[in-house]
Amino acid sequence: MTVKRINFTNRKRLTREHANIVIHPPINGQGCATFDAQLDLNHLRPQADTARVFVEAYHQTTRMRFDFGTVGAITHPARAECRLHEFHDWKDVLFRVKITDVQDHPGQLLGWGNQIRPKGPDDMDEPDLVRFKDADLYGLLWDIEYDDHGPVVLIELNAGGVQHVGRDDRFRAAVFPEVLRRTLVKALVEDEIAHDDVDHWFALWFEGFLKPKLGLPAPPPAEDITRRRDWIDNAVKAFARHFRIAEFWSADAPRPAGEEA
């Protein structure tokens, strides 16, 4: 049997669809920025499965390299290991992604993405499904309402509103899983919507985010409420894993006495 091989003489150029960087600025100006790399290298598989994947952050002569495993087994370093502490200003940082052969032609570049300008948290595609609005919540920090286009997260104006609270990474990390849970309960349990009802905003959520981004199957039938609630639980957990919510907090968590950073 003849195995078809890809000719990597001309290395493959990676686009933002293949390598997207999301940067997380320091909270309230404290500490340093971190980043996430969202990599989709399926177009290089299986021929380049053993090739190493490196993400580099750079500005002028400063460079930091991060190991993301192999094409066939991408590994995401913990948030604490993706700190851009060697850069004076995180806003100047660009990124490149290198796919390097270690088997047939060690050191040869098989794929390359250069001058990748990172997105900020406000530019992430997934949260765009949720809209924000200032509101007077009489003591609550946030709440949620729904209209014909889906959920709207309300932020107490006297606490800083959307501009300060809504843009805070920690607020989003803490609140978004619950926003997702309440939104799914609203659509699937209270309104008993079918996932393919094109007249309802949930169809966009499912086809545009839950299915392609989180890999979720279609929810169970409306009459099976118990299975729908289990499906919702799994969806929220998948969301937390996708955005690495726990790692976001553990990176800045206090360390036991005597433990080095």
Side-chain angles (χ1 to χ4, degrees):
M1 177 179 178
T2 301
V3 178
K4 182 178 180 181
R5 297 179 63 84
I6 294 178
N7 181 1
F8 283 116
T9 302
N10 294 320
R11 60 191 179 214
K12 303 295 183 181
R13 182 168 180 80
L14 305 179
T15 67
R16 187 178 285 276
E17 292 181 355
H18 305 131
N20 189 31
I21 308 296
V22 176
I23 203 162
H24 301 276
I27 303 300
N28 297 325
Q30 302 297 317
C32 60
T34 60
F35 76 93
D36 291 319
Q38 301 167 349
L39 304 175
D40 182 358
L41 304 177
N42 286 330
H43 66 298
L44 299 179
R45 301 194 63 195
Q47 288 82 357
D49 273 359
T50 60
R52 302 296 302 179
V53 180
F54 297 101
V55 175
E56 291 184 353
Y58 67 95
H59 175 64
Q60 296 180 346
T61 60
T62 303
R63 185 186 70 168
M64 297 182 69
R65 170 179 276 200
F66 303 86
D67 189 342
F68 275 71
T70 65
V71 170
I74 294 175
T75 58
H76 294 268
R79 179 67 63 84
E81 298 175 9
C82 292
R83 294 173 177 263
L84 303 174
H85 56 85
E86 294 188 14
F87 298 96
H88 176 70
D89 190 343
W90 61 268
K91 296 177 183 178
D92 296 328
V93 179
L94 296 177
F95 290 81
R96 62 171 65 98
V97 177
K98 294 180 177 180
I99 314 299
T100 305
D101 189 10
V102 295
Q103 191 171 38
D104 296 332
H105 303 283
Q108 179 179 334
L109 282 179
L110 307 184
W112 169 274
N114 196 29
Q115 294 185 331
I116 301 173
R117 187 170 298 279
K119 291 184 176 182
D122 295 333
D123 301 321
M124 294 173 66
D125 295 333
E126 289 83 353
D128 287 342
L129 292 171
V130 179
R131 292 159 294 147
F132 289 82
K133 185 171 73 173
D134 292 333
D136 187 349
L137 300 179
Y138 304 99
L140 292 177
L141 178 61
W142 73 278
D143 205 345
I144 189 170
E145 66 180 16
Y146 303 90
D147 60 20
D148 292 340
H149 302 288
V152 180
V153 176
L154 308 175
I155 309 294
E156 171 57 52
L157 182 59
N158 290 329
V162 174
Q163 290 300 315
H164 296 283
V165 178
R167 294 180 183 274
D168 190 300
D169 278 357
R170 291 200 173 206
F171 173 81
R172 293 190 174 206
V175 166
F176 264 62
E178 179 61 18
V179 169
L180 176 62
R181 182 182 299 278
R182 289 168 63 173
T183 296
L184 295 180
V185 168
K186 168 67 175 173
L188 298 178
V189 177
E190 297 177 11
D191 295 346
E192 299 184 347
I193 295 299
H195 72 282
D196 56 356
D197 182 352
V198 296
D199 293 326
H200 194 274
W201 50 263
F202 180 72
L204 175 61
W205 270 63
F206 181 74
E207 293 296 336
F209 174 58
L210 297 171
K211 179 180 177 180
K213 297 291 186 180
L214 303 186
L216 294 176
E223 59 269 18
D224 197 338
I225 296 298
T226 299
R227 288 180 58 210
R228 278 204 163 188
R229 288 191 179 276
D230 289 341
W231 186 94
I232 291 171
D233 287 340
N234 290 332
V236 174
K237 291 175 183 177
F239 176 89
R241 290 193 299 270
H242 180 79
F243 285 109
R244 302 160 68 191
I245 298 296
E247 289 185 19
F248 179 87
W249 288 89
S250 63
D252 296 319
R255 296 177 180 272
E259 181 178 340
E260 296 183 357

